[in-house]
Amino acid sequence: MTDQVQLTAEQQRVVEAPATACLLVTAPAGTGKTFSLIRRLAFLIDEEGLEPAELLVLSFSRAAVREIRKRLIEFGSAAAHVDVRTFDSYATWLLSEVAPDGPWQRQGFDQRIREATRLIKEDPNAAELIEEVRHLVVDEVQDLVGDRAELVKALLNADLDGFTLLGDPAQGIYGFQLDDPQERLAGAARLYDDVRKRFTDDLVEVTLAGNFRAREPEARAALSFGPALGKVDASFAQIQRDLRTVLLSGDSLGTLDQAAPVLARMTAATALLCRGNKEVLLISRRLHELGVRHRLQRAAQDKVLPAWLSALFRELDSKQPTMDSVLTVVKDSGVDPQEAWDLLRRMDPNRRGDTLDLTAVRRRLSHGDFPDELVQQPSESLAVSTIHRVKGLEFDQVVVVDPGEAPDDDPIEQAERARLLYVAMTRPRDLLIYVKPVTKLSPGQLKQLHDGRWAELGFKAKHHFGMEIRPDDVNAEDPAGTVGFQGDAREIQNYLASVVRAGDPVALVQVPGLSSEEVPRYALEHEGRRIGVTTDTFAKALRTLLPGRGRRLPSGVKELRVDSVETVIGREVAGVNAGLGWSGVWLRPRITGLGCFDWAGEQA
């Protein structure tokens, strides 16, 4: 190790522990967790003699996986070849290896994780794959609850030489996924206690100290609350009040409207953080009205494939293109061509010479079994997000929407608010400020529907202002122009690739003959041009909000934005019939926003 002088005493204990050690590392915000993790992996390979294939690194978010891989490459060790995955990606890989034709292909991430856990416990083929791993590293272990916690427990019960678990119980904010009230109250501290009981005699615990993130006093304001907040029996109500007092004693931008001109001028990486998606939708709509460019932070589970992938299938004639052909297509896409090639090669099991098997790549994409680094967020300096979605990330500046006081009679809400506020206040490197609550941004009230989306309702019965529109409300099974309305599919694909951009305004427009009373359908329009059509998912949500035969439907839905133009994997025959080639790979506009109903026009 050439940089031992840069390690604190606690970091050195973590980095230089033998490969057989059972390490539980508590790493409060800004204490150099990822710095230590990178050097730990390098030590295990360079000094302990492990092969990269004998190490497995699991983390909660794709952003964390990308950061770990980036730092491993920069560090210059053989550890750059270690397998680093999210829990979702690892479960999908395991299922692909053990049961390539299984029903899991039609299941969601949680079901895949449950099935992967079962295989680890019961299937000998899965056991053989697990036996190749000698040391397990789990990052952000405090985020493990429910199915993901069970997956890690199953791996820990396998025949490992050792493990390294890193996290911070004070930042455990995913307890809301649990049904048991006491489990929700305890949060991630419960998993820590389980590990302590399971490995009583062998466990080595290390707590990292110091702070290497926060560069300004404002950014360090909340760090001292971490140790107390990480306890199972923490005084959550008092900690929540104290954290909010610290927040409100700092600088304020006033109301959102007052803050907008300042936010518009910010060029450093900035996050505007809210408690829930309801606030995110309202704030985003208002910022667009005020002309403030921003992006919505995606959920950790969102797998949004970049548009340049579609170009490979659209522009290359061969199913076995050469490296030069691939790089020619990729070079003008805004990504590093060599990095793109490396990601594509990781999806090609054949890896023959300088050619790429696009059939194999398409199969991996359709299964969701692809490198986590392939998925990236749009680029805007200002991100509007829930606190959950920035877990594990850091920003130069953080603006927190004042969450208000927690109810006096709800200990679970007090605990979750305290942890959320702590996470929000420990994200910045330089500046922590706040804006006042945003409860008056809607002309009505927001109500959550059964599918989780938000609807904007008036105070009078049957008066509806709009509803949340989601990416899966736009059809991906067929290319635009082939279902719902007729258009030249190839021209629409070229238009999506060359004209439509993230942040562009779009609208849903009801088209005569496209809707029925049972299944209302709308065309998606960008500058008056149709680029998509709505799905049964959208129709069901709209009919749930506006039930009854003969009930008037809005003529359109406005105030929507393009999140990105994404590559999707649809029906191969649909692509052939549309003249888009053999692959069933094309572009789809991914849209988001709290849409406003347009009640002008006729009934459905």
Side-chain angles (χ1 to χ4, degrees):
M1 303 292 291
T2 60
D3 61 342
Q4 289 181 352
V5 294
Q6 300 178 27
L7 301 173
T8 67
E10 295 85 2
Q11 289 172 338
Q12 191 162 343
R13 284 188 64 198
V14 172
V15 170
E16 298 183 359
T20 55
C22 299
L23 277 179
L24 179 60
V25 182
T26 298
T31 54
K33 173 175 62 65
T34 305
F35 176 89
S36 302
L37 186 157
I38 300 305
R39 283 147 185 82
R40 171 76 174 142
L41 294 173
F43 181 86
L44 290 172
I45 291 174
D46 298 340
E47 304 297 333
E48 289 291 286
L50 295 187
E51 295 294 329
E54 295 174 321
L55 285 159
L56 171 62
V57 182
L58 298 178
S59 189
F60 188 80
S61 71
R62 292 181 183 84
V65 168
R66 283 196 301 272
E67 183 65 19
I68 291 170
R69 280 198 174 277
K70 175 185 173 184
R71 294 204 198 180
L72 282 172
I73 292 171
E74 292 173 348
F75 190 67
S77 165
H81 302 291
V82 169
D83 196 11
V84 185
R85 294 178 180 265
T86 61
F87 299 99
D88 304 338
S89 174
Y90 181 72
T92 298
W93 169 81
L94 187 66
L95 292 168
S96 297
E97 294 292 321
V98 178
D101 300 318
W104 60 268
Q105 298 178 48
R106 298 179 294 277
Q107 296 174 341
F109 296 130
D110 290 343
Q111 291 172 299
R112 291 184 181 191
I113 289 172
R114 285 194 291 271
E115 179 62 12
T117 302
R118 186 190 69 79
L119 290 177
I120 291 171
K121 294 177 179 179
E122 302 174 6
D123 190 284
N125 293 322
E128 285 187 20
L129 292 173
I130 302 303
E131 284 176 2
E132 298 176 8
V133 178
R134 293 178 58 190
H135 196 95
L136 173 68
V137 178
V138 183
D139 186 29
E140 302 284 2
V141 70
Q142 78 282 341
D143 290 332
L144 299 181
V145 297
D147 296 328
R148 288 166 180 78
E150 293 305 314
L151 174 65
V152 169
K153 290 177 184 178
L155 289 170
L156 291 176
N157 285 329
D159 189 20
L160 300 169
D161 289 353
F163 60 79
T164 304
L165 309 180
L166 305 100
D168 178 14
Q171 298 183 60
I173 58 175
Y174 286 88
F176 70 90
Q177 297 176 350
L178 302 172
D179 295 326
D180 184 275
Q182 291 306 310
E183 292 291 327
R184 287 182 64 179
L185 186 63
R190 186 72 69 193
L191 177 62
Y192 275 63
D193 286 349
D194 290 345
V195 171
R196 291 180 181 114
K197 292 174 183 176
R198 166 73 174 78
F199 299 96
T200 303
D201 297 331
D202 301 318
L203 192 66
V204 176
E205 289 202 54
V206 181
T207 299
L208 300 184
N211 182 270
F212 304 96
R213 173 189 298 166
R215 297 184 288 231
E216 300 293 337
E218 295 89 343
R220 292 194 290 268
L223 293 171
S224 62
F225 293 89
L229 188 55
K231 298 178 180 178
V232 176
D233 57 350
S235 179
F236 296 112
Q238 187 61 50
I239 293 173
Q240 194 272 341
R241 285 193 294 269
D242 291 346
L243 278 168
R244 184 165 177 263
T245 297
V246 171
L247 176 69
L248 299 185
S249 66
D251 293 333
S252 171
L253 292 179
T255 65
L256 183 66
D257 281 24
Q258 292 169 334
V262 179
L263 295 172
R265 293 194 299 270
M266 288 181 171
T267 56
T270 304
L272 177 57
L273 301 182
C274 320
R275 282 195 62 219
N277 199 44
K278 174 175 69 173
E279 291 82 8
V280 167
L281 291 168
L282 288 170
I283 287 172
S284 177
R285 186 171 69 184
R286 183 57 181 156
L287 288 179
H288 280 306
E289 291 172 354
L290 296 170
V292 180
R293 292 189 61 86
H294 62 280
R295 63 177 173 86
L296 296 185
Q297 185 77 15
R298 297 176 187 149
Q301 290 78 20
D302 286 346
K303 287 192 170 185
V304 183
L305 296 173
W308 61 263
L309 275 174
S310 175
L312 297 176
F313 296 91
R314 189 171 63 251
E315 298 180 22
L316 295 174
D317 296 328
S318 172
K319 294 183 182 180
Q320 302 277 343
T322 64
M323 178 179 176
D324 288 342
S325 298
V326 171
L327 296 184
T328 298
V329 173
V330 172
K331 65 181 177 65
D332 295 325
S333 64
V335 299
D336 179 80
Q338 187 60 52
E339 181 181 344
W341 173 256
D342 292 342
L343 290 171
L344 291 165
R345 290 283 282 178
R346 285 166 57 187
M347 291 186 284
D348 181 356
N350 302 314
R351 301 184 186 180
R352 294 190 296 266
D354 285 338
T355 62
L356 182 70
D357 185 349
L358 281 182
T359 303
V361 171
R362 190 232 183 252
R363 187 182 308 114
R364 292 280 296 271
L365 293 174
S366 67
H367 291 171
D369 182 19
F370 49 78
D372 290 296
E373 306 94 286
L374 200 58
V375 178
Q376 296 191 15
Q377 297 273 358
S379 57
E380 284 290 347
S381 58
L382 176 62
V384 179
S385 177
T386 64
I387 299 168
H388 288 98
R389 294 187 177 186
V390 297
K391 185 67 196 63
L393 303 179
E394 58 185 57
F395 300 84
D396 293 324
Q397 302 166 138
V398 167
V399 182
V400 179
V401 177
D402 178 11
E405 286 289 348
D408 292 334
D409 58 350
D410 191 341
I412 294 175
E413 181 70 9
Q414 292 166 355
E416 292 182 351
R417 285 206 193 191
R419 293 176 183 133
L420 279 170
L421 193 51
Y422 176 75
V423 168
M425 294 173 66
T426 56
R427 296 308 92 200
R429 286 181 283 258
D430 294 321
L431 185 62
L432 174 67
I433 46 183
Y434 75 95
V435 295
K436 295 180 179 180
V438 292
T439 54
K440 297 181 180 180
L441 288 182
S442 172
Q445 59 182 335
L446 264 63
K447 176 184 177 182
Q448 200 161 23
L449 304 181
H450 293 302
D451 65 353
R453 76 174 77 211
W454 291 94
E456 193 172 21
L457 310 179
F459 294 105
K460 294 182 179 180
K462 299 183 180 180
H463 190 182
H464 299 85
F465 293 114
M467 74 176 187
E468 177 186 357
I469 304 300
R470 294 174 168 177
D472 61 0
D473 289 335
V474 178
N475 183 32
E477 290 296 309
D478 307 273
T482 61
V483 173
F485 67 92
Q486 293 302 309
D488 188 317
R490 287 176 295 183
E491 285 188 5
I492 295 173
Q493 288 294 302
N494 290 333
Y495 183 81
L496 287 168
S498 60
V499 179
V500 182
R501 294 289 180 264
D504 285 356
V506 288
L508 296 176
V509 179
Q510 191 175 172
V511 180
L514 187 60
S515 282
S516 68
E517 283 195 359
E518 293 78 15
V519 186
R521 299 248 186 243
Y522 291 69
L524 177 66
E525 293 189 354
H526 176 273
E527 297 183 356
R529 178 160 183 168
R530 294 178 188 174
I531 58 172
V533 67
T534 56
T535 61
D536 288 346
T537 301
F538 168 82
K540 181 178 180 181
L542 187 62
R543 267 302 176 210
T544 299
L545 183 62
L546 303 170
R549 291 179 63 85
R551 178 72 184 270
R552 185 186 179 194
L553 295 173
S555 60
V557 185
K558 304 179 293 184
E559 304 298 332
L560 303 174
R561 297 281 168 167
V562 176
D563 170 78
S564 64
V565 176
E566 64 175 329
T567 295
V568 294
I569 318 300
R571 299 184 303 119
E572 293 176 58
V573 66
V576 173
N577 291 338
L580 297 178
W582 62 272
S583 66
V585 178
W586 48 75
L587 295 173
R588 174 185 73 160
R590 178 183 172 87
I591 61 172
T592 59
L594 184 60
C596 296
F597 290 154
D598 183 354
W599 290 106
E602 301 177 353
Q603 298 184 33

